[in-house]
Amino acid sequence: MNDQSHDPGASGGCPVAHGAGVTRLYGSDAERDPHGIYTVLREQHGAVAPILLEGDIPAWLVLGYRENRRVLDNPLQFSRDSRIWRDWKEGRVAETSPLIQMLGWRPDCVSQDGEPHRRLRGAVTDNLLGVTGRGIRRHVTHFAHKLIDAFEDAGRADLVTDFADYLPMLVLTRVLGLAEREGRTLAESSNQILKGGADALAHNEKIMSVLGDLAARKRSEPGSDFASGLIGHSADLDEDELVNHLRLVLITGHTMTSNLLARALQLILTYPERRSELVSGQLNMSAVVEEVMWNTPPLAVLPGRFATSDLELGGCPIKEGDLLVLGLAAGNADPQIRPDTAVSVVGNQSHLAFSAGPHECPGQNLGQGIIETAVDVLLHRLHGLRLAVPPAELTSTASTWESRLDSLPVEFAA
């Protein structure tokens, strides 16, 4: 890692501010070893550390488990409304910044607190509950078999690029009321938005165009899909609210579930005894997912919260309008609450992977259903499934927000 950190003399206390030498949470170092960065920051600054995001925009990274929970559970102190973000208000963040795709205010439930949040979130949760109860596992089974059909005869595949990268989006096209043919393009655009960089804005515009067309079509031709359910909900969403909630479910539902599915498959294939236990019924898939949630959460860093007043967090002087980003992966590994990460976490659901508090992820059951069904189909279709490379050769690439498995090459009986 580049020597971008504060003077070690600051260890044990919080730095005065975002001065020279603050660590960048983007770029080549962050892509190679984000967990190494979290460790160094924790050693130097404790539970909260100063960082820079794309464009060298200052923020606080919350590393401590308890500090993460304090932020997530207290929207009156730490708002999700980025319109109070000081660097945005004072013009230091451009409209075209890749950060806007993750942090900018939108007319959706993620950007609101209080009663506006409850109204909009109610529309989302009610309709997610509806679609998960209407054959979601049937949709997963259909598309999982279809993807496996394409590579089964070869006796080898990459379960990231051939399976996990696209299956959740194909299921979401059915859930939302989109055409299946749009699934691959939408998956690629969703991944690019989380990756950031210069192309993030263009990919977001593609998604918004597709979803705008979907909303218009479903207003005149409603069906039993999520989009039609939002349109008919008593929350009475306007056009911007409708399209932005379709975007929210599409991007978060795909990116988080595809990442989690790849990591769950990595875990199962790295430890063959887990695969045997799953097939025999000795191990429940939810326990595997739980382990992944603790050790490699699909969203490593959650954007973002904004201080509503001057306060102190983890010994740091947070100022009104400051941006905080939540280190979910770092919080899960906080030695204060998890001194030995080798100890089993089965049955412990207090991880941060789905966030917490009023904004806790409402799509957990949808993601769980996709993963459990997808793994079941894979294990029963592909006999003799095994890794084609040693586990140590598997690599990941990180962005500010997530760390994704690059590939998962496997072999099986053709």
Side-chain angles (χ1 to χ4, degrees), residues 321-382:
D322 276 2
L323 164 63
L324 301 95
V325 293
L326 293 307
L328 306 184
N332 279 350
D334 184 350
Q336 293 291 320
I337 60 106
R338 200 176 170 205
D340 185 358
T341 55
V343 173
S344 173
V345 289
V346 172
N348 186 342
Q349 299 180 355
S350 59
H351 57 75
L352 298 170
F354 284 129
S355 179
H359 288 278
E360 184 174 354
C361 175
Q364 299 174 39
N365 291 337
L366 176 62
Q368 186 88 9
I370 291 174
I371 292 164
E372 289 183 2
T373 308
V375 172
D376 185 60
V377 171
L378 263 178
L379 295 182
H380 286 89
R381 277 285 301 268
L382 304 179

Side-chain angles (χ1 to χ4, degrees), residues 4-76:
Q4 297 176 315
S5 303
H6 278 279
D7 188 315
S11 180
C14 193
V16 174
H18 292 73
V22 177
T23 298
R24 292 186 173 94
L25 205 64
Y26 69 97
S28 57
D29 290 333
E31 289 173 4
R32 283 194 303 269
D33 187 18
H35 290 278
I37 290 178
Y38 306 153
T39 299
V40 171
L41 288 173
R42 197 193 305 274
E43 289 172 352
Q44 294 181 335
H45 305 300
V48 180
I51 56 159
L52 297 173
L53 301 177
E54 275 189 270
D56 279 356
I57 300 301
W60 299 99
L61 174 63
V62 186
L63 298 158
Y65 181 91
R66 294 181 181 88
E67 288 75 15
N68 268 290
R69 285 304 305 257
R70 178 184 163 189
V71 173
L72 292 168
D73 291 338
N74 290 279
L76 291 179

Side-chain angles (χ1 to χ4, degrees), residues 261-271 387 391 394 405 408:
L261 174 57
R263 294 297 187 182
L265 290 169
Q266 178 188 14
L267 180 62
I268 293 165
L269 292 166
T270 299
Y271 299 97
L387 276 177
L394 298 175
L405 191 63
L408 192 62

